[in-house]
Amino acid sequence: QVRLVESGGGLVQAGGSLRLSCAASGRTISSYAMGWFRQAPGKEREFVSAINRSGGNTYYADTVKGRFTISRDNAKNTVYLQMNSLKPEDTAVYYCAARTGRVGSVFLREYDYWGQGTQVTVSS
């Protein structure tokens, strides 16, 4: 079993930046492909980004492509989401997830473990 804990969320002005971290414990993240999802109030949880086991391949939702960057540091057992040029529509709870596969997935059902989420609020 792997436990995931997100951090780094907060309140930021539009155009600003935040870096989210997902710290894993119990197992090394090198065993998992990792993903980030987000959920705004009253809306479905949606895919944001994913990264394969080695970090050699990354994937992004069209809504964040060019602004967000996912990365992983297996030595630190941590996955990151660098968020630049933030917009009010990025406001949501952001969740880190892990799946026992080599590559990331856009589908929630293909992930096995989830963090508790961290709130990101972007003001106009």
Side-chain angles (χ1 to χ4, degrees):
Q1 300 267 23
V2 62
R3 294 188 300 277
L4 306 173
V5 179
E6 303 94 333
S7 63
L11 176 64
V12 65
Q13 289 280 99
S17 298
L18 287 172
R19 188 181 72 163
L20 306 183
S21 298
C22 175
S25 61
R27 294 182 181 179
T28 61
I29 62 168
S30 62
S31 299
Y32 305 95
M34 305 293 294
W36 286 96
F37 293 78
R38 67 186 183 186
Q39 187 168 21
K43 297 184 178 180
E44 299 289 333
R45 191 171 299 184
E46 66 177 6
F47 170 77
V48 175
S49 185
I51 189 167
N52 69 354
R53 287 183 182 176
S54 67
N57 295 93
T58 57
Y59 313 90
Y60 299 93
D62 289 342
T63 50
V64 306
K65 189 175 183 179
R67 300 188 297 119
F68 292 8
T69 303
I70 190 172
S71 62
R72 64 191 299 160
D73 189 336
N74 288 352
K76 296 181 179 179
N77 223 28
T78 302
V79 178
Y80 304 95
L81 185 68
Q82 179 66 47
M83 308 163 66
N84 298 328
S85 301
L86 284 163
K87 304 175 181 179
E89 46 264 51
D90 295 319
T91 296
V93 176
Y94 283 71
Y95 297 90
C96 177
R99 68 181 299 264
T100 54
R102 293 182 180 180
V103 299
S105 173
V106 302
F107 301 109
L108 278 70
R109 65 180 179 83
E110 294 192 359
Y111 287 83
D112 304 295
Y113 306 99
W114 293 84
Q116 84 290 345
T118 186
Q119 177 71 49
V120 172
T121 303
V122 185
S123 61
S124 300

